[in-house]
Amino acid sequence: MADAAPTQALTDWLLDSDPALRWQVERDLLGLPPSVWEATRRRVATEGFGARLLALQDPDGQWAGGAYFPAGFDFAAVATQGQPWTATTWSLNALREWGVDADVLAGTAELLDRNARWEYDDLPYWGGEVDCCINSWTLSNGLWLGADVDGLVDWFLAHRLSDGGWNCAWVEGATRSSFHSTLNTLKGLLDYEQVTGDHARVRAARKAGEEYLLVRGLFRRLSTGEPVAPWALHLAYPFRWYYSALNAADHLRAASLHDGTPPDRRMADAIEHIRAARTPDGTWLQERRHPGEVWFEVDVPAGEPSRWLTLIATRVLRWWDDAA
């Protein structure tokens, strides 16, 4: 088993980065005191990626004039141009994941309550809509910004499928869970537990959803044991809505630390796939950029060493190896 600890050269390379990434390196890989990484995290709102994205917010609280898609978006273009990543939900996701303090966005929850509507049936923003992934991000973003999103928890409990997970296509009659939908839902439920301290309400559902992924080894079909699809082992950042074994492993790491439980050994094959993708210099390469319009790029093109993927993969391996 290779040592997951980064070399000094690799550490210096990771630290030579945007504050949105650097504070996580300081916390998760270097174990620096909170006074250090919290100071770096506060810089996200005033420097680099965070400051750039905050400056693009519309006066009505939205980004690009829309909830999930930019205002006036030609939906027929998705097939050729990909999903655009500039609208409100995607922008909030990025700022939250980068560690921007909710106080920086004071008043945004109220503005979105008044001004933002989902493209699906013109529904109110904080009430969510019918898509599991969208509703999970709305739950996480609402918890972060102080909006009333408690009803979404009940929605998830009511829409869990019999095999333990979720599927955004339930509204079209799907009865089997999806890797993508299940993972994205699990992230929202874990955020709910972490923010509210209310474990009893959602923990059984979260554990059942995690079990859905674990019995499949994070990337295999339950029926045959074969990989579900090539995307399950792709390495691409930002994750967006896409599933990958690395994305799932990073969630399960967070859940394990929250629950105070060791890593589940059923992840072992997925972990070794992640480990095998590490290059000799200790980095992980970007495999692709998910197509679609962005405000600006936050990671490297395909084929280049990715600081984001290297951070995430290294902390997953560190968690796994330390437990072993």
Side-chain angles (χ1 to χ4, degrees), residues 133-196:
C133 299
I134 290 174
N135 284 353
S136 179
W137 297 318
T138 306
L139 175 60
S140 293
N141 290 333
L143 290 166
W144 169 49
L145 296 179
D148 181 4
V149 288
D150 203 59
L152 288 172
V153 178
D154 295 327
W155 187 93
F156 280 114
L157 298 180
H159 286 81
R160 186 162 64 91
L161 300 177
S162 60
D163 59 4
W166 288 264
N167 193 326
C168 293
W170 72 270
V171 73
E172 298 161 6
T175 57
R176 299 171 62 184
S177 296
S178 151
F179 279 74
H180 305 282
S181 303
T182 298
L183 175 58
N184 287 320
T185 296
L186 291 173
K187 291 183 178 185
L189 295 181
L190 180 60
D191 283 342
Y192 176 80
E193 288 188 55
Q194 291 175 327
V195 171
T196 68

Side-chain angles (χ1 to χ4, degrees), residues 46-179:
T46 59
E47 301 177 27
F49 300 153
R52 289 180 68 184
L53 190 51
L54 285 166
L56 293 165
Q57 186 178 18
D58 300 330
D60 67 359
Q62 300 187 94
W63 277 260
Y68 192 74
F69 293 92
F73 179 69
D74 178 6
F75 290 92
V78 171
T80 56
Q81 300 176 21
Q83 158 81 52
W85 314 108
T86 53
T88 301
T89 297
W90 298 109
S91 297
L92 289 177
N93 287 354
L95 293 168
R96 172 173 49 81
E97 291 168 4
W98 292 340
V100 170
D101 192 280
D103 290 345
V104 174
L105 286 158
T108 291
E110 294 77 13
L111 284 170
L112 295 180
D113 190 46
R114 291 197 298 269
N115 301 317
R117 311 287 294 192
W118 293 108
E119 291 79 11
Y120 182 92
D121 278 358
D122 199 39
L123 293 169
Y125 190 77
W126 293 120
E129 44 124 295
V130 299
D131 185 286
C132 300
C133 299
I134 290 174
N135 284 353
S136 179
W137 297 318
T138 306
L139 175 60
S140 293
N141 290 333
L143 290 166
W144 169 49
L145 296 179
D148 181 4
V149 288
D150 203 59
L152 288 172
V153 178
D154 295 327
W155 187 93
F156 280 114
L157 298 180
H159 286 81
R160 186 162 64 91
L161 300 177
S162 60
D163 59 4
W166 288 264
N167 193 326
C168 293
W170 72 270
V171 73
E172 298 161 6
T175 57
R176 299 171 62 184
S177 296
S178 151
F179 279 74

Side-chain angles (χ1 to χ4, degrees), residues 143-280:
L143 290 166
W144 169 49
L145 296 179
D148 181 4
V149 288
D150 203 59
L152 288 172
V153 178
D154 295 327
W155 187 93
F156 280 114
L157 298 180
H159 286 81
R160 186 162 64 91
L161 300 177
S162 60
D163 59 4
W166 288 264
N167 193 326
C168 293
W170 72 270
V171 73
E172 298 161 6
T175 57
R176 299 171 62 184
S177 296
S178 151
F179 279 74
H180 305 282
S181 303
T182 298
L183 175 58
N184 287 320
T185 296
L186 291 173
K187 291 183 178 185
L189 295 181
L190 180 60
D191 283 342
Y192 176 80
E193 288 188 55
Q194 291 175 327
V195 171
T196 68
D198 184 350
H199 309 308
R201 188 176 181 195
V202 303
R203 179 161 292 183
R206 173 171 66 84
K207 287 293 188 181
E210 290 168 356
E211 184 70 9
Y212 173 87
L213 300 179
L214 287 165
V215 298
R216 292 161 174 80
L218 306 193
F219 69 98
R220 299 187 186 279
R221 293 186 184 277
L222 188 61
S223 56
T224 65
E226 295 299 313
V228 62
W231 47 254
L233 294 170
H234 280 167
L235 296 172
Y237 186 88
F239 291 137
R240 308 297 190 193
W241 59 260
Y242 293 86
Y243 182 92
S244 71
L246 176 61
N247 191 359
D250 197 45
H251 163 77
L252 289 166
R253 168 190 172 273
S256 168
L257 295 174
H258 175 71
D259 294 337
T261 55
D264 192 298
R265 304 313 296 179
R266 290 173 291 180
M267 298 171 57
D269 285 352
I271 291 293
E272 293 315 308
H273 275 281
I274 294 167
R275 195 189 306 277
R278 181 169 51 186
T279 65

